Amino acid sequence: MKLTMWRRTTLWFLLFTITFLSTACGSVTSQESRTSATRPIENKGSDTIVNLALAWAEAYQEIRPEVSLSVTGGGSGTGIAALINGTVDIANASRQIKSEEQAEAEANGVTPTEFIIARDAIAIIVNHENPVDNLTLQLISDIYSGKINNWSEVGGEDRPIVRLSRETNSGTHVYFLENVLRLGDKESETLFSVETLLLPSSEGITSEVRENPNAIGYDGLGYVTDEVKVVAVGLSLDGPFVYPSPETVNLNLYPIARDLYMYTVGEPTGEIKAYLDWILSTQAQEIVSELGFVPVNP
Amino acid sequence: MKAGKFKDILITSLIKVCGYSAIIFVGMIFVFLIKEGSPALIRVPLENFLQLRWYPIEDRFGLLPLIGGSLIVTLGAAIFSIPLGIVSAVYIAEVAPRWAREILKPLVEVLGGLPSVMLGFIGILVIVPALRQALNLPTGLTAFTGALILGGMAIPTIVSVAEDALDAVPKTYREAALAMGATRWQTIWKVTLPAAKSGVLTAVMLGVGRAIGETMTVMMVTGNAAVFPTGFGAIFKPVRTMTATIAAEMGEVASGSTHYHVLFLIGIILFLISLTVNLIAASVVFRQRKRTERILS
């Protein structure tokens, strides 16, 4: 009795596996036949953008199945270098092209054209019990570098500050280090306090901030939920203090925000132009909001 | 007749291949680790490894906080899982009535099979906030939380293996002890446990081995702040273990970069630590066996 039961489950399991495998194989082959039809548009660069670029590519495949797209990460620098060498059609970058890169490109006979395709804001989050509503960039920097260790120093209760950060391999971590902790100063060697907790996921940060009134964390605007309290950020102690939102980011009022770029070789033409036009359309910009970035105004 | 002999040879050689393959695999893993890890020793000066800061994106590779973090979590887990595990095993094997034993043993084994991600999840949602409030800590993501959950994971392994070892002690030993007028406690402490010592030690080794190699749970609950643990209070502070570092950073590191080789170097250190634990345990078992053989002969 027991044995037959077991056998039956095994059979079911096998059946499931086979169906799953066959469907998986099916989709792979259909995709391959599609790619072989035309030369794919090569799209490479920033890891921050890679998920967004992939989501766009997938959505675009449904509208224009005859156009194939190939998306890879590797970092903004890698993408721009590949654009200069002529191996990609579109480079993704979470920063603007550097003057050296621009010069190198022109020496190679390439004029990169810039498109702002989305914006990204980083929200500073604390527990709902925490009375602190406003922080300046300088105070956030001092908190994360370990100069300020108690919430009472920034107008809160007498509690120790527990700093939360994403792991060092996250693009958000690096952006936060350069633009908040070091306040954009390239000479600065300020580091995160040794006691900063490095959590492997956004969910880890949200759950600790939700539970712990001592905690402060940062995360992409799209990952912020009602379970945590967002702090308004200002440039000076007199204010104004601004909450992150698509509006404040687009009006350049919220200080911890950046543009995300795509670069093409010269003025884009043909299919590449059609793709970039679609990216700036309302339909594609809806995907931007779904992934937690801020859409650009058309 | 001939067919039977052929089958015999086939099966013996098959078993032989399986046995040797274990040795070959360990050897190959070690060679791979050395090949990928040793360039780190050439590229990075020794002072860099000895600093107290682990921040790989700025080429700061201080290994001491990571080694300290792993040791404190593992020691913490061992301190409370070993006595609890052995005592539970003794209860199940020697004291519990038959019906209790038949329920407890399978339950413990099911507990040992729980996936570690799930335990980490329970840790984050239940244990972390509870510990922070109960002990009034700045955060519940500490070495202690990790040790608690890892110890909990090691206990089923220890109980299960140690119980088997106690069960294998011949009934005559106990009967002899009881006939000599020993109490039940004296029989357990002075006769059964020492007789099963090598098995119990294997149980402890497997349990501690599981604790030191565990990754997912520690990454979720220990906070991963690379602070070098100093003093007793460090157990209630966040730590970063070697396993969590490898798991968190290996996915994004550029293959062939200095950081990549340093992560493999950490792998070598982990390998050496577990090798040392195994060697020490094996030598203790070996010495013990010689002594019992002398007494029994």
Side-chain angles (χ1 to χ4, degrees):
Chain A
M1 183 58 193
K2 221 175 180 181
L3 199 80
T4 45
M5 266 269 282
W6 187 80
R7 272 204 186 141
R8 205 175 296 157
T9 15
T10 331
L11 249 168
W12 273 114
F13 177 72
L14 271 175
L15 216 95
F16 268 123
T17 326
I18 290 165
T19 356
F20 176 74
L21 279 179
S22 52
T23 43
C25 290
S27 67
V28 165
T29 38
S30 68
Q31 224 165 33
E32 264 169 12
S33 62
R34 213 181 273 159
T35 2
S36 57
T38 44
R39 198 187 77 87
I41 298 177
E42 296 282 346
N43 183 194
K44 189 188 178 82
S46 165
D47 287 319
T48 313
I49 307 174
V50 75
N51 282 334
L52 179 61
L54 278 170
W56 273 335
E58 273 169 29
Y60 199 62
Q61 295 272 279
E62 283 174 17
I63 309 167
R64 302 280 312 273
E66 70 278 13
V67 179
S68 62
L69 285 150
S70 142
V71 178
T72 40
S76 305
T78 324
I80 291 173
L83 186 79
I84 295 170
N85 293 329
T87 53
V88 299
D89 303 299
I90 303 173
N92 303 333
S94 57
R95 57 169 171 81
Q96 232 167 346
I97 191 164
K98 291 179 191 161
S99 51
E100 306 94 82
E101 288 165 339
Q102 184 81 33
E104 202 184 317
E106 263 148 36
N108 246 8
V110 175
T111 321
T113 314
E114 178 182 296
F115 294 87
I116 295 175
I117 44 127
R119 290 197 172 87
D120 185 18
I122 290 167
I124 306 292
I125 51 176
V126 295
N127 188 277
H128 274 298
E129 281 177 35
N130 193 326
V132 174
D133 292 318
N134 306 321
L135 285 172
T136 64
L137 268 188
Q138 182 67 50
L139 285 176
I140 298 168
S141 167
D142 288 348
I143 286 173
Y144 269 97
S145 66
K147 277 184 207 145
I148 296 177
N149 289 301
N150 196 299
W151 280 112
S152 63
E153 292 173 62
V154 290
E157 295 163 346
D158 180 23
R159 288 175 171 283
I161 296 179
V162 173
R163 310 160 187 92
L164 309 176
S165 163
R166 293 287 303 276
E167 277 284 355
T168 49
N169 54 28
S170 145
T172 321
H173 177 103
V174 178
Y175 174 79
F176 196 82
L177 173 74
E178 287 170 357
N179 293 282
V180 181
L181 217 65
R182 295 179 175 172
L183 301 163
D185 179 2
K186 289 210 167 59
E187 305 294 304
S188 164
E189 297 209 332
T190 314
L191 285 181
F192 280 89
S193 154
V194 189
E195 290 177 10
T196 309
L197 308 192
L198 299 179
L199 301 183
S201 64
S202 284
E203 167 54 27
I205 292 184
T206 312
S207 78
E208 176 68 0
V209 170
R210 182 183 63 218
E211 302 287 347
N212 189 347
N214 303 325
I216 180 168
Y218 65 84
D219 219 334
L221 186 55
Y223 296 104
V224 173
T225 60
D226 292 338
E227 295 169 319
V228 295
K229 175 174 154 184
V230 176
V231 175
V233 181
L235 292 172
S236 76
L237 281 170
D238 311 322
F241 293 95
V242 185
Y243 286 102
S245 72
E247 293 75 44
T248 54
V249 170
N250 273 333
L251 292 170
N252 287 327
L253 294 173
Y254 186 70
I256 320 174
R258 57 179 166 173
D259 293 335
L260 303 175
Y261 305 90
M262 278 190 177
Y263 286 93
T264 59
V265 181
E267 277 298 325
T269 52
E271 286 301 341
I272 300 172
K273 179 174 170 23
Y275 183 51
L276 280 164
D277 286 343
W278 176 79
I279 280 176
L280 296 172
S281 73
T282 332
Q283 189 196 0
Q285 290 293 317
E286 265 167 27
I287 299 174
V288 174
S289 322
E290 276 166 28
L291 287 180
F293 295 104
V294 176
V296 284
N297 278 341
Chain B
M1 196 63 199
K2 219 176 175 188
K5 203 165 190 186
F6 176 71
K7 223 184 220 169
D8 201 54
I9 293 172
L10 189 83
I11 290 174
T12 332
S13 52
L14 212 75
I15 291 173
K16 228 182 231 172
V17 167
C18 289
Y20 284 128
S21 68
I23 302 174
I24 294 169
F25 283 138
V26 171
M28 270 158 59
I29 290 171
F30 195 63
V31 167
F32 178 73
L33 278 179
I34 296 276
K35 186 181 149 272
E36 296 292 329
S38 54
L41 290 171
I42 303 161
R43 286 201 208 172
V44 183
L46 196 64
E47 307 93 80
N48 196 339
F49 287 131
L50 295 177
Q51 66 176 322
L52 293 180
R53 180 91 210 200
W54 171 261
Y55 199 65
I57 55 174
E58 302 259 304
D59 284 334
R60 287 162 175 249
F61 298 115
L63 296 180
L64 296 178
L66 308 182
I67 297 172
S70 274
L71 288 183
I72 199 168
V73 172
T74 313
L75 275 180
I79 282 173
F80 95 98
S81 67
I82 293 173
L84 257 171
I86 293 178
V87 170
S88 311
V90 166
Y91 175 75
I92 293 175
E94 305 287 317
V95 186
R98 183 168 262 280
W99 62 267
R101 191 177 161 176
E102 266 161 19
I103 297 171
L104 282 173
K105 189 82 201 286
L107 267 183
V108 165
E109 268 152 20
V110 168
L111 210 65
L114 285 180
S116 57
V117 179
M118 216 179 86
L119 290 171
F121 209 58
I122 295 172
I124 279 195
L125 293 178
V126 182
I127 301 178
V128 167
L131 267 182
R132 182 181 61 78
Q133 275 161 358
L135 302 173
N136 196 22
L137 299 169
T139 172
L141 296 162
T142 62
F144 184 71
T145 324
L148 212 61
I149 298 176
L150 285 193
M153 287 170 68
I155 285 176
T157 314
I158 297 178
V159 172
S160 177
V161 179
E163 200 267 344
D164 285 342
L166 288 169
D167 210 38
V169 174
K171 217 177 165 191
T172 46
Y173 280 36
R174 282 177 211 115
E175 282 165 355
L178 291 169
M180 303 270 285
T183 61
R184 206 169 185 191
W185 162 247
Q186 283 168 330
T187 313
I188 291 169
W189 188 242
K190 294 264 168 75
V191 177
T192 324
L193 258 182
K197 199 162 189 173
S198 74
V200 172
L201 217 82
T202 312
V204 168
M205 231 169 65
L206 286 173
V208 173
R210 184 163 185 200
I212 202 167
E214 176 51 44
T215 308
M216 204 56 218
T217 320
V218 284
M219 191 156 91
M220 288 165 90
V221 303
T222 55
N224 302 322
V227 189
F228 185 69
T230 44
F232 186 71
I235 187 112
F236 294 113
K237 287 195 180 138
V239 289
R240 188 178 182 89
T241 65
M242 292 190 275
T243 47
T245 305
I246 296 177
E249 292 169 17
M250 193 50 101
E252 302 279 332
V253 75
S255 166
S257 63
T258 310
H259 184 191
Y260 170 88
H261 291 303
V262 173
L263 289 181
F264 271 99
L265 186 71
I266 298 175
I268 295 177
I269 296 172
L270 260 172
F271 189 89
L272 290 178
I273 289 177
S274 58
L275 199 71
T276 321
V277 170
N278 277 293
L279 283 178
I280 291 173
S283 75
V284 171
V285 171
F286 188 61
R287 206 178 301 151
Q288 177 64 25
R289 194 168 293 156
K290 272 211 283 205
R291 218 184 111 230
T292 40
E293 272 162 13
R294 217 168 42 232
I295 292 168
L296 288 176
S297 58

